[in-house]
Amino acid sequence: MSPRKGPGPSVKDDDLYEKLRDEGNSKEKSARIANAAANTSRSSVGSKGGSHPSYDEWTEHDLLQRAREIGVEGRSRMSKDELIEALRDH
């Protein structure tokens, strides 16, 4: 078996790229993650974006609208607490 060829000049963090490839990730995914880590602080890579207030803080109208968007059955007969539970369990 021949030694693995380097990832090329487009990958900014060769060590991370190789580690990700060794874990079985695709070339594309490994390059994307390695480049994102090189462009920002590593702790921010993969962190979730945006935030919403807790469902407890939403109005019943907003909860009903969200339940409609994701197709919760029986939503029109649910109380606010039932809507919150249904959305969390969906």
Side-chain angles (χ1 to χ4, degrees), residues 2 17-18 22 25 32 37 45 62 72 79-80 87-88:
S2 63
Y17 174 87
E18 292 300 332
D22 290 342
N25 292 298
R32 191 169 52 247
V45 173
D62 291 338
V72 173
S79 68
K80 182 175 180 176
L87 289 168
R88 286 182 176 153

Side-chain angles (χ1 to χ4, degrees), residues 57-77:
E57 298 175 30
W58 288 31
T59 64
E60 189 170 349
H61 173 77
D62 291 338
L63 291 167
L64 188 58
Q65 191 173 6
R66 179 64 180 144
R68 187 179 305 117
E69 288 172 4
I70 62 175
V72 173
E73 297 289 325
R75 62 188 172 266
S76 63
R77 296 181 299 279

Side-chain angles (χ1 to χ4, degrees), residues 37 40-47:
T40 63
S41 70
R42 289 187 190 276
S43 62
S44 68
V45 173
S47 64

Side-chain angles (χ1 to χ4, degrees), residues 15-47:
D15 293 334
L16 180 56
Y17 174 87
E18 292 300 332
K19 180 181 176 209
L20 292 164
R21 289 292 291 141
D22 290 342
E23 290 174 1
N25 292 298
S26 70
K27 291 178 182 179
E28 292 82 9
K29 182 176 181 180
S30 298
R32 191 169 52 247
I33 293 170
N35 288 341
N39 288 336
T40 63
S41 70
R42 289 187 190 276
S43 62
S44 68
V45 173
S47 64

